[in-house]
Amino acid sequence: MEAFHRIFTNSRCSFIFFAIFFLFASALSIANAKTHEHTFIVQAAKVKRLCKTHNTITVNGQLPGPTLEVNNGDTLVVKVVNRGRYNVTIHWHGVRQMRTGWADGPEFVTQCPIRPGGSYTYRFTISGQEGTLWWHAHSSWLRATVYGALIIHPREGATYPFTKPKRETAILLGEWWDTNPIDVVREATRTGAAPNVSDAYTINGQPGDLYKCSSQDTVIVPIDSGETNLLRVINAALNQPLFFTVANHKLTVVGADASYTKPFTTSVLMLGPGQTTDVLINGDQPPSRYYLAARAYQSAQNAPFDNTTTTAILEYKSAPCPAKKGVQIKPVMPQLPAYNDTATVTAFSKSFRSPNPREVLVPKEVDESLFFTVGLGLNNCPPNFRARRCQGPNGTRFTASMNNESFVLPKNISILQAYQQGIPGVFTSDFPASPPVKFDYTGNVSRSLWQPNSGTKGYKLKYGSRVQLVLQGTSIFTAENHPIHLHGYDFYIIAEGFGNFNPQKDTAKFNLVDPPLRNTVGVPVNGWAVIRFVADNPGAWLLHCHLDVHINWGLAMVFLVDNGVGKLQTIEPPPVDLPLC
Ligand SMILES: *[C@@H]1O[C@H](CO)[C@@H](O)[C@H](O)[C@H]1NC(C)=O
Ligand SMILES: *[C@@H]1O[C@H](CO)[C@@H](O)[C@H](O)[C@H]1NC(C)=O
Ligand SMILES: *[C@@H]1O[C@H](CO)[C@@H](O)[C@H](O)[C@H]1NC(C)=O
Ligand SMILES: *[C@@H]1O[C@H](CO)[C@@H](O)[C@H](O)[C@H]1NC(C)=O
Ligand SMILES: *[C@@H]1O[C@H](CO)[C@@H](O)[C@H](O)[C@H]1NC(C)=O
Ligand SMILES: *[C@@H]1O[C@H](CO)[C@@H](O)[C@H](O)[C@H]1NC(C)=O
Ligand SMILES: *[C@@H]1O[C@H](CO)[C@@H](O)[C@H](O)[C@H]1NC(C)=O
Ligand SMILES: *[C@@H]1O[C@H](CO)[C@@H](O)[C@H](O)[C@H]1NC(C)=O
Ligand SMILES: [Cu+2]
């Protein structure tokens, strides 16, 4: 009896011990996951670029806006106060937003805009993502100047899957108009023509040495002999895929879109707008100054584009001092690929792999097999329009579509609200699963196919369904590399190629072993890409081209994902301060 009592007490003790241990451990991990509170004041500020002072919409008067730094598992609470003169919303690009779709941001999709004088607090948790993301306005063309980095470090106590770099530098590639970008898009909407191209690209808000009145403010990126710097490169440009390189230095890619990649070494990156790439760079060159440079990858033929080059300077701390004050060593200029070097782009995008096949969760079977065409079009001038409203090619207006549907945003309610509350008349759910007309997508497309329908159409997905989506570029008007971005999800890119996707031949090329996980895929010019994901996040999720000019023309659609069973598979109720129209 005594012995039994002793054992009983001991096991009770150990039970209590373990209970306390677990309580403590879970309290510790809760204490470890932090909540970061920020206030974003959207406001006009005076910004001097290209010899001129501009009244520019910014966040907190900064360009780029504030960098947010968190650990995987942390929660962000960002109060956005609109003191500008335009409607605004903020999108947290690449954040999964599990069950928090109300915080995703695209105007009229997950919320109505924050009107001038209004505010909205975005609350969401970063879960299972590490690396580099970013945030940007998702209203008209405000993201030209309203954007910033979102850096996600490993969970506290966890490490990178590579040697910890001595330094880390966010490199935001931007696009600058020497005028108000809102005027540029409004002019294009009025005329039906392509909007004016930008006047400069920027690195961390500065055009750099090669532009007028800019050398004083060229961004300096520090490094020292023998040390490693992690460059977190973000393409925040509005309309232009960009090449990026650093003179005389190799770049080791270790991550993209906040997922790690199997490391590979390259001398040049190409990022479509929306994409991020994390690279390690070693201080293994003679101490000196080297340019980091970015310029256009332009895949559309005979289309005007901004053919300028932005630079920053990689500067060794031990670089020789200038002989005379103000006389600097001229930085080494790198070789950039030709603007139309698609072969380099293909080699680069095909180098991406997931690092650990055992952690790859790509669905092997699919429930939904979708095929969407993506491309441009031309609308004939409507009978009631004057000629000055039809200044597209030969008196037309530019348009764009997926599966021949040019997307139109609602104007008086968000799609998510209409979907959740069953409000009819806002959208229809008949977005086609495959092209209504099959044609030679990348060939000489008959003029009778160039004019799409327009409307607000979604495609419904059951909770948990396994989705395969073939994105097929078209050569209507002109073929182009389209960076297609999906909100609310990461997806695996299992294959890409040129010409028309051929299920008989191309299925054999699917990589179901170690495909990269991303949120934006560059669909090759006159080609296709295949992605897979599991629809495990209920809500209304935009799929769109991240060239803003193409969104304006309608290159978008929305997935409507059902709630599953129980609270953990159901979208949270809308926040009380959600802006309504
Ligand atoms: C666009 O470019 C044209 C031609 O250079 C110019 O006349 C027009 O003012 C520009 N539009 C805007 C909004 O700056
Ligand atoms: C773009 O600029 C480069 C020089 O930087 C020049 O060689 C090239 O011809 C230009 N291309 C176009 C299409 O303007
Ligand atoms: C790129 O453009 C140049 C002219 O600017 C042309 O000579 C060359 O053939 C083009 N290359 C490709 C791959 O299209
Ligand atoms: C515009 O018209 C000209 C002359 O008829 C023709 O050569 C050209 O292909 C047309 N372009 C488009 C995009 O329709
Ligand atoms: C929104 O506007 C559309 C037409 O533009 C109308 O049919 C619909 O009833 C309106 N919905 C709400 C909620 O006001
Ligand atoms: C494309 O087809 C049209 C007729 O459908 C023809 O007039 C034109 O020459 C063709 N263009 C090319 C490049 O084959
Ligand atoms: C798109 O729809 C319009 C209107 O129904 C039709 O004229 C056109 O041929 C269609 N184009 C394609 C590519 O399906
Ligand atoms: C601003 O948002 C409101 C809805 O909240 C909308 O009615 C209005 O048209 C928007 N203004 C512009 C210029 O888009
Ligand atoms: Cu596009």
Side-chain angles (χ1 to χ4, degrees), residues 235-318:
N235 187 347
L238 220 69
N239 294 324
Q240 194 63 56
L242 293 166
F243 288 116
F244 172 85
T245 190
V246 183
N248 295 16
H249 289 73
K250 288 264 176 265
L251 307 169
T252 302
V253 175
V254 293
D257 297 1
S259 290
Y260 294 113
T261 61
K262 189 171 170 181
F264 67 94
T265 299
T266 177
S267 58
V268 62
L269 314 179
M270 198 292 286
L271 298 91
Q275 295 186 311
T276 75
T277 307
D278 288 359
V279 298
L280 297 172
I281 178 169
N282 291 321
D284 57 6
Q285 293 301 305
S288 188
R289 305 171 90 221
Y290 302 86
Y291 276 124
L292 298 84
R295 78 164 182 219
Y297 164 50
Q298 174 68 8
S299 56
Q301 280 180 7
N302 305 321
F305 68 102
D306 175 352
N307 190 25
T308 61
T309 303
T310 179
T311 55
I313 299 168
L314 183 75
E315 187 171 85
Y316 281 67
K317 289 205 297 178
S318 52

Side-chain angles (χ1 to χ4, degrees), residues 297 299-300 342 345-346 349-350 371-376 439-443 469-476 478-484 493 495-502 506 509 521-531:
Y297 164 50
S299 56
T342 293
V345 173
T346 307
S349 69
K350 287 194 168 176
F371 187 110
F372 294 176
T373 59
V374 297
L376 305 187
F439 56 100
D440 179 4
Y441 307 111
T442 52
L469 171 55
V470 177
L471 293 160
Q472 172 68 61
T474 76
S475 54
I476 295 176
T478 179
E480 182 165 4
N481 179 303
H482 298 278
I484 303 293
I493 305 174
E496 61 171 69
F498 291 99
N500 299 335
F501 176 74
N502 177 341
D506 294 326
K509 297 180 196 151
V521 56
V523 177
V525 50
N526 244 323
W528 50 269
V530 185
I531 65 172

